[in-house]
Amino acid sequence: ADGVVVTGSTVIDFVRATTPRGTVRAFDSFSGRPLWQFDPLLGHPDSGSANVWAPISVDEKHGLVFLPTSSASPDYYGVGRPGDNPYANSVVALALHSGEYRWHFQHVRHDLWDYDTPAQPILFDWRKEGENIPALAQLTKQGFVFVLDRLTGEPLWEITEQPVPPSSIAGERAAPTQPKPIAPPQLLNPFLMPADAWGLTPWDRADCAEQLAALENLGLFTPNSENLTLMFPGSLGGPNWGGGALLGDTGILLVNVNNVAFTGQLIPTPTANAAASRKHDHPAAGHRMQVTMEGTPYNIEIGSLQSFLGIPCNPPPWGKLVAVDLFKGSIAWETALGSVHEMGPIAAPFHIEWGTPNLGGGIATAGGLFFIGATMDRQFRAFDVSN
């Protein structure tokens, strides 16, 4: 942008306590000369990551670059990185040419859930009482849409402080509150109790209710513990790296959302960690994966929450498309995204539109259409953006 190359990085942030730094660097695009660098974890030598892997956004007119930072390492255990870790899980605004700090907004304090910033900050003009305000919308895995003044970082919809549960792990100091916008509404409902269990039959529904009753579950931001804990949403979101598509200057943001519950459990570190146990933290359906966190007392085991039939325990849709009105702070409409007709033991000859987990973004056009793939059914869809 404007003669400057700004680069983030990919860092595997969960296999050990101290990972490479998530330093963002800028270079002169003509000479290659380094211009500046920004370390989101400056002052935290025993951690790492907080890197920028999601797309970076730039406001050339105002000379600003916006960095969506990820979580500090390791994702699920924060004893070695006390405090809020303020530039992790944040949008950080820097001067494009100098790297000078301008402002930041942190959407998760002291992340213990792998809720890294998954998508690009979306720049638009926010209209209120006839005034146009340079704005930024940031989607998060928690299903929040934070709308900020992109010149100052001030919220354009009020942000409240939500009390959240403490950690039961020795030495862990979870943040006592987390930010939550009053508008737009959260894009999924993380409240999942035994009475909400879903199933095709009374038997699998009862199985799910029994599993839910046994979980540590105090709502969104319940820290993982040595007991099996609900992770809803899990590290896939909510929204993820597909981000959202803004429909011109209408203020309508179209977002594909995951809506599947997971569970996690901190496991005391085995005496010897086999290399084979180092696996990605997005387990396949029906499987549990144990992820190393070398340098800590724990590994973490993660799996999807499903019945003995292999069906998610939370009600469908398990993937959906949501149209958010950023000007009104409301949901214009939402619909299931994806069909599960091929995902049972026998493929059905017709669509079953209960939604599937999805990864990848869509495109909104001036002709009033939204196109997206992303779903597990290998299909490509077009939606009317008005309804």
Side-chain angles (χ1 to χ4, degrees):
D2 199 23
V4 180
V5 176
V6 183
T7 126
S9 58
T10 298
V11 178
I12 303 302
D13 52 11
F14 48 81
V15 295
R16 59 185 192 269
T18 306
T19 58
R21 312 296 287 189
T23 303
V24 176
R25 293 177 170 86
F27 304 88
D28 184 292
S29 66
F30 299 100
S31 69
R33 178 175 59 89
L35 296 177
W36 53 263
Q37 63 182 37
F38 175 76
D39 180 357
L41 284 176
L42 194 64
H44 286 273
D46 297 324
S47 184
S49 303
N51 50 298
V52 176
W53 60 262
I56 293 167
S57 298
V58 172
D59 179 344
E60 285 194 349
K61 178 181 176 182
H62 297 103
L64 293 172
V65 59
F66 302 96
L67 309 177
T69 62
S70 70
S71 48
S73 65
D75 288 338
Y76 303 102
Y77 182 83
V79 172
R81 47 176 174 86
D84 287 348
N85 317 131
Y87 298 130
N89 307 87
S90 295
V91 183
V92 181
L94 306 178
L96 174 61
H97 287 276
S98 68
E100 180 185 358
Y101 168 85
R102 294 298 174 81
W103 59 264
H104 81 282
F105 170 75
Q106 187 176 40
H107 61 85
V108 180
R109 302 187 185 105
H110 192 74
D111 184 14
L112 298 171
W113 306 271
D114 193 19
Y115 284 160
D116 42 356
T117 317
Q120 72 276 17
I122 297 169
L123 310 187
F124 70 106
D125 286 338
W126 198 64
R127 291 204 299 266
K128 184 177 182 181
E129 299 172 354
E131 182 183 7
N132 281 352
I133 299 172
L136 174 154
Q138 182 62 61
L139 294 161
T140 74
K141 288 183 179 179
Q142 308 93 278
F144 294 139
V145 185
F146 290 98
V147 181
L148 311 171
D149 184 317
R150 72 174 180 262
L151 304 185
T152 67
E154 292 298 313
L156 296 175
W157 290 108
E158 181 186 349
I159 295 173
T160 61
E161 289 297 325
Q162 174 184 3
V164 294
S167 174
S168 61
I169 297 299
E172 187 71 84
R173 298 288 181 266
T177 64
Q178 296 286 355
K180 181 179 181 180
I182 64 164
Q186 194 170 3
L187 304 185
L188 52 81
N189 179 9
F191 185 81
L192 184 62
M193 303 303 288
D196 304 311
W198 194 85
L200 286 176
T201 70
W203 297 279
D204 63 317
R205 188 161 56 249
D207 177 41
C208 283
E210 185 177 345
Q211 289 186 62
L212 279 163
L215 295 178
E216 295 279 339
N217 176 15
L218 296 174
L220 185 65
F221 297 115
T222 302
N224 282 290
S225 72
E226 293 186 1
N227 299 317
L228 203 60
T229 303
L230 181 67
M231 304 172 74
F232 189 36
S235 62
L236 283 176
N240 206 292
W241 55 261
L246 192 67
L247 187 64
D249 59 359
T250 65
I252 298 295
L253 181 67
L254 296 126
V255 187
N256 51 305
V257 175
N258 290 305
N259 192 41
V260 178
F262 287 78
T263 62
Q265 185 173 15
L266 294 174
I267 309 291
T269 306
T271 52
N273 274 328
S277 70
R278 296 185 181 183
K279 296 177 180 177
H280 204 278
D281 62 342
H282 299 156
H287 295 272
R288 299 191 67 77
M289 286 191 174
Q290 193 171 130
V291 177
T292 63
M293 293 192 290
E294 289 180 9
T296 80
Y298 294 100
N299 289 355
I300 185 165
E301 188 177 83
I302 298 173
S304 54
L305 178 62
Q306 58 187 45
S307 73
F308 61 81
L309 294 179
I311 298 172
C313 283
N314 62 292
W318 299 308
K320 59 183 181 175
L321 180 64
V322 183
V324 184
D325 190 321
L326 296 173
F327 297 159
K328 295 180 180 178
S330 61
I331 303 299
W333 53 263
E334 63 178 61
T335 187
L337 179 61
S339 170
V340 299
H341 66 285
E342 294 181 331
M343 299 177 72
I346 301 173
F350 49 84
H351 277 195
I352 304 172
E353 299 285 352
W354 289 347
T356 75
N358 53 88
L359 285 173
I363 298 173
T365 74
L369 292 173
F370 176 78
F371 296 98
I372 190 166
T375 54
M376 295 176 71
D377 58 14
R378 310 184 316 284
Q379 299 196 19
F380 187 72
R381 290 172 168 82
F383 292 88
D384 183 325
V385 298
S386 66
N387 59 26

